[in-house]
C-alpha cells in the first residue's frame, strides 16, 4: 500500500467480493443510499445486489516490529451460517503474506481489533486435529474488556458464531501463553497505540499511528462500508450495541474528517485506505495508496 512516516503498511487479502444483501447487514437502510453512495464510491453492491466487502489484514512494519492487524477468516473453521468463511482451505492467505516478504514465524505481534469470527480466523491453524497459533513467535494483543466478554459467553456454552470462533481461534493462543490483554491507551511501541471505541463489540479497538508527523488509524469495524460515511447513523446487524456503535462511529468520523489522517477500515475494497471528507451533510472517502 505504501508508507506512513517511517512505517510500511501493506494489505494482506484473504478474499473480497459479494457478501450479503445491504439491508441484511444494515437494518433500516435508507432508500436510495446504495445508489447515492455508488455515485462517488463506485459499485458498493454486485450485479446480483449483494454488498461487496473485503476481508483482509493489514501488515505494519515499524522498524521495531512486524505487526499483523486482524486475522481474517482462517482455514478449516466451522462457520456454517457464513459460506464464505466455512471450512476454507488452501494456502492463498499465507502466500499473500509471503508475497509481502513475511513468514508466519517473523510476525512479532498480532493485533486483534475485536474478536469476531472474521477477524481472528488466522490466529490459529489446524495441525493433527489441534488448533495451534499460526504465528508461533507472536504476541497476540487484544483488549481485556473484549476478551472477558467472549470468554464468559464461551464458558457459558454460547453457540453463536463468534463464541465458537473464540473457542477455535482465541482460546488456543491463550492456552499457548501467547495472548496479551491490554487496556485503553496501551502503547505497543512509540507511535502505535490501542484505543477503545466500544459499540460494535464491548472492547472494540482501533490502532492509532503516528510517525514523523503523519497520522493514520486502523479502524477495524467502526466502519464496514462507504454506506456508513454517506449515512453515519447506520449501524450493522453485527453490532453488539447499535446505539453505542452509532455514537462511536459518528464521533470517529467527525474526528478524522477533513484532516490528513489516513483511515484504514477492515472491510473497504481496495485500496482500503483513504481520507474522510465532508460531502454536504454527509461524508465521503478519498482513497490513498495502492
Amino acid at each position: 500500500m505504501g508508507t506512513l512516516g517511517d512505517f510500511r503498511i501493506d494489505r494482506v487479502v484473504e478474499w473480497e467480493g459479494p457478501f450479503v444483501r445491504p439491508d441484511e447487514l444494515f437494518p433500516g437502510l435508507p432508500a436510495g443510499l446504495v445508489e447515492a453512495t455508488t455515485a462517488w464510491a463506485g459499485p458498493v453492491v454486485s450485479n446480483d445486489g449483494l454488498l461487496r466487502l473485503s476481508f483482509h489484514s493489514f501488515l505494519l512494519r515499524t522498524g521495531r516490529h512486524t505487526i499483523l492487524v486482524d486475522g481474517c477468516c482462517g482455514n478449516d473453521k466451522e462457520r456454517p451460517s457464513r459460506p464464505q468463511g466455512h471450512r476454507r482451505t488452501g494456502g492463498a492467505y499465507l502466500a499473500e503474506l509471503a508475497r509481502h516478504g513475511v513468514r508466519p514465524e517473523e510476525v512479532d505481534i498480532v493485533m486483534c481489533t475485536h474478536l469476531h469470527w472474521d477477524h481472528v480466523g488466522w490466529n490459529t491453524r489446524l495441525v493433527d486435529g489441534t488448533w495451534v497459533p499460526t504465528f508461533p513467535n507472536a504476541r497476540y494483543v487484544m483488549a481485556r474488556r473484549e476478551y472477558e466478554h467472549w470468554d464468559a459467553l464461551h464458558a457459558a456454552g454460547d453457540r453463536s458464531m463468534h463464541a465458537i470462533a473464540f473457542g477455535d481461534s482465541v482460546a488456543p493462543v491463550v492456552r499457548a501463553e501467547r495472548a496479551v490483554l491490554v487496556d485503553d491507551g496501551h502503547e505497543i511501541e512509540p507511535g502505535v497505540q490501542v484505543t477503545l471505541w466500544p459499540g460494535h463489540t464491548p472492547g472494540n479497538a482501533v490502532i492509532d499511528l503516528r510517525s514523523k508527523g503523519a497520522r493514520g488509524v486502523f479502524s477495524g469495524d467502526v466502519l464496514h462500508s462507504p454506506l456508513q460515511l454517506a449515512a453515519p447513523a447506520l449501524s450493522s446487524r453485527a453490532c453488539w450495541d447499535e446505539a453505542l456503535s452509532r455514537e462511536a462511529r459518528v464521533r470517529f468520523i467527525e474526528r478524522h474528517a477533513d484532516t490528513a489522517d489516513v483511515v484504514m477500515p477492515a472491510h473497504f475494497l481496495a485500496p482500503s485506505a483513504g481520507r474522510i471528507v465532508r460531502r454536504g451533510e454527509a461524508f465521503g472517502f478519498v482513497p490513498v495508496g495502492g
Side-chain angles (χ1 to χ4, degrees):
M1 285 173 56
T3 59
L4 188 142
D6 284 334
F7 297 164
R8 171 75 195 182
I9 301 172
D10 291 292
R11 177 174 171 263
V12 182
V13 181
E14 185 167 26
W15 69 274
E16 59 184 8
F19 185 55
V20 294
R21 296 191 322 273
D23 60 350
E24 180 183 344
L25 185 60
F26 298 118
L29 184 77
L33 183 65
V34 168
E35 294 76 13
T37 305
T38 296
W40 59 263
V44 293
V45 300
S46 61
N47 290 337
D48 53 358
L50 298 181
L51 186 66
R52 299 172 66 229
L53 295 177
S54 175
F55 291 75
H56 55 258
S57 305
F58 288 106
L59 182 63
L60 170 65
R61 283 172 277 195
T62 68
R64 294 183 178 89
H65 296 107
T66 296
I67 301 172
L68 190 72
V69 180
D70 284 336
C72 294
C73 304
N75 277 2
D76 303 307
K77 304 297 168 78
E78 294 291 326
R79 310 288 188 255
S81 63
R82 284 289 177 248
Q84 301 93 335
H86 185 51
R87 297 180 180 176
R88 293 179 63 84
T89 60
Y93 178 84
L94 294 182
E96 179 73 358
L97 187 66
R99 188 176 70 83
H100 293 296
V102 175
R103 294 172 294 155
E105 58 269 27
E106 295 174 318
V107 174
D108 300 308
I109 296 168
V110 176
M111 178 64 222
C112 305
T113 61
H114 61 294
L115 300 182
H116 276 176
W117 70 274
D118 55 319
H119 292 257
V120 299
W122 276 106
N123 282 4
T124 60
R125 58 190 179 92
L126 196 60
V127 177
D128 297 329
T130 300
W131 296 111
V132 301
T134 303
F135 309 99
N137 299 318
R139 291 177 288 138
Y140 288 72
V141 177
M142 58 196 78
R144 187 184 314 277
R145 185 186 308 173
E146 181 79 355
Y147 173 81
E148 290 174 349
H149 172 80
W150 295 110
D151 182 46
L153 287 179
H154 183 258
D158 186 273
R159 298 302 296 167
S160 69
M161 187 163 50
H162 302 312
I164 291 170
F166 182 93
D168 60 40
S169 300
V170 179
V173 304
V174 176
R175 288 195 295 269
E177 299 183 343
R178 304 308 305 173
V180 178
L181 305 183
V182 303
D183 299 309
D184 188 30
H186 174 79
E187 189 175 68
I188 293 174
E189 67 170 71
V192 183
Q193 180 173 295
V194 178
T195 307
L196 299 192
W197 290 74
H200 180 63
T201 62
N204 190 56
V206 308
I207 297 89
D208 291 307
L209 306 177
R210 302 288 185 271
S211 179
K212 283 192 169 179
R215 301 189 304 180
V217 57
F218 297 115
S219 60
D221 282 2
V222 174
L223 290 165
H224 286 84
S225 165
L227 292 170
Q228 293 171 295
L229 290 170
L234 196 62
S235 288
S236 80
R237 189 180 299 275
C239 290
W240 164 70
D241 185 320
E242 291 189 10
L244 188 58
S245 175
R246 181 181 307 115
E247 185 276 330
R249 183 170 46 262
V250 170
R251 185 163 47 92
F252 179 89
I253 291 171
E254 290 280 358
R255 171 175 293 188
H256 294 288
D258 293 337
T259 71
D261 298 354
V262 179
V263 177
M264 292 164 279
H267 295 296
F268 278 30
L269 298 172
S272 306
R275 295 186 172 94
I276 296 174
V277 295
R278 296 181 188 274
R279 295 178 54 86
E281 296 299 314
F283 301 86
F285 194 69
V286 177
V288 300

